Amino acid sequence: MDNHGFNTNQEFLDKSVYSLENIHSYEWIFGEGFISSGGITTAMEFTTMLNLRPGEHVLDVGSGIGGSAFHMAQEFDVNVTGIDLSANMVSVALEKAYKVDDKRVQFEMGDVTKRQFPLQSFDAIYSRETLLHIKDKVALLSSFFKWLKPGGRLVITDYCCRHDNGSNGWSNQFKKFVQKYGYHLLSVDQYAKILKQVGFGQVQVDDRTSQFLQILNKELQQLENAQREATEVTGFKLTN
């Protein structure tokens, strides 16, 4: 992956997209423990799809600052291992883990594409908006399949492109955006094909564009309202 002039991809993330200042801004917008759209609402929806049972072990790939991991442990009584490449996000997650003192949740900083977990280590794997950063999705999804126990479940959400012909149908503006952040986007159908290719049996893929557009518009409105209220509180009027 292009490191955008930084020595490593981790340095690029921690000094730009996921600087501590940005992380706290994201959390202010999306809610305690979350740095992406939908916050706890979508976390509740998607973790329910894992059909978790007490005592199971979940791998949270791209665990961020821990919102989903803490939710799964508390709601389903499971053990969660969170892994993230960003040192800043893992640092914030560990601070939260220290405060809640929940031994069921563990976090580690690392590159999941280089991490080697023992075969059949997990009952479920969960990942939100992370795989767009990873170019070789076939290799990573193959690892997911190997790390899961027989009957294991996988739930992924990711930003996708609409067509299988890659960037050919993209606007120049969107191409520049994807290049700037080093994203590697697939279509929903391409994801389905790869999942079946690496061995997953019952594969279900959904295009959630409409749902997330509604969520984003709602969050944007809330942000604009908050900014307006802040301006009214801190504003002042000068008179002669």
Side-chain angles (χ1 to χ4, degrees):
M1 180 179 178
D2 182 7
N3 296 328
H4 303 270
F6 294 92
N7 292 324
T8 64
N9 186 32
Q10 178 195 334
E11 185 180 4
F12 162 63
L13 293 175
D14 283 334
K15 291 187 177 181
S16 58
V17 184
Y18 299 126
S19 66
L20 286 173
E21 181 180 2
N22 283 347
I23 288 172
H24 293 311
S25 296
Y26 300 150
E27 188 175 23
W28 183 78
I29 296 170
F30 302 121
E32 174 71 25
F34 294 92
I35 58 159
S36 60
S37 187
I40 185 61
T41 303
T42 53
M44 292 171 64
E45 177 185 2
F46 294 129
T47 55
T48 299
M49 293 179 180
L50 289 169
N51 297 317
L52 297 172
R53 295 178 285 274
E56 290 191 322
H57 194 181
V58 183
L59 176 64
D60 186 352
V61 177
S63 50
I65 57 176
S68 292
F70 293 122
H71 169 72
M72 286 188 280
Q74 294 163 7
E75 182 69 18
F76 304 107
D77 190 22
V78 295
N79 301 298
V80 184
T81 297
I83 182 170
D84 204 289
L85 185 60
S86 167
N88 288 339
M89 290 208 283
V90 173
S91 175
V92 174
L94 289 172
E95 289 179 8
K96 294 179 181 295
Y98 177 78
K99 291 178 181 178
V100 301
D101 191 26
D102 192 335
K103 300 298 189 298
R104 295 171 298 187
V105 182
Q106 305 291 326
F107 296 100
E108 65 174 75
M109 188 193 74
D111 185 344
V112 71
T113 65
K114 299 177 181 178
R115 185 70 163 85
Q116 295 296 320
F117 290 104
L119 300 179
Q120 300 182 9
S121 295
F122 303 100
D123 299 283
I125 297 178
Y126 178 79
S127 182
R128 297 288 308 279
E129 288 82 65
T130 297
L131 270 66
L132 75 165
H133 296 288
I134 296 168
K135 186 174 183 178
D136 192 349
K137 292 177 176 53
V138 174
L140 182 60
L141 292 171
S142 295
S143 296
F144 285 1
F145 184 78
K146 295 173 185 176
W147 296 341
L148 283 168
K149 298 176 182 178
R153 290 87 67 200
L154 170 67
V155 168
I156 295 171
T157 67
D158 203 16
Y159 292 105
C160 298
C161 55
R162 286 189 176 276
H163 307 290
D164 294 348
N165 59 350
S167 62
N168 291 334
W170 298 356
S171 67
N172 289 332
Q173 183 180 13
F174 188 64
K175 287 180 182 178
K176 291 178 181 178
F177 172 78
V178 171
Q179 184 178 14
K180 177 181 178 181
Y181 291 102
Y183 293 154
H184 304 280
L185 305 181
L186 298 181
S187 70
V188 172
D189 290 338
Q190 285 174 318
Y191 260 114
K193 182 178 179 181
I194 293 174
L195 287 165
K196 293 175 182 177
Q197 175 185 331
V198 302
F200 285 96
Q202 299 178 1
V203 176
Q204 177 182 339
V205 295
D206 295 310
D207 184 341
R208 297 297 187 100
T209 302
S210 297
Q211 176 186 2
F212 274 86
L213 279 175
Q214 291 179 357
I215 292 171
L216 286 166
N217 284 328
K218 181 179 179 181
E219 290 169 341
L220 178 59
Q221 186 63 53
Q222 291 173 338
L223 178 60
E224 290 175 345
N225 291 341
Q227 289 177 324
R228 190 178 304 112
E229 291 172 4
T231 300
E232 291 173 355
V233 170
T234 59
F236 56 89
K237 181 178 180 181
L238 295 177
T239 60
N240 290 332

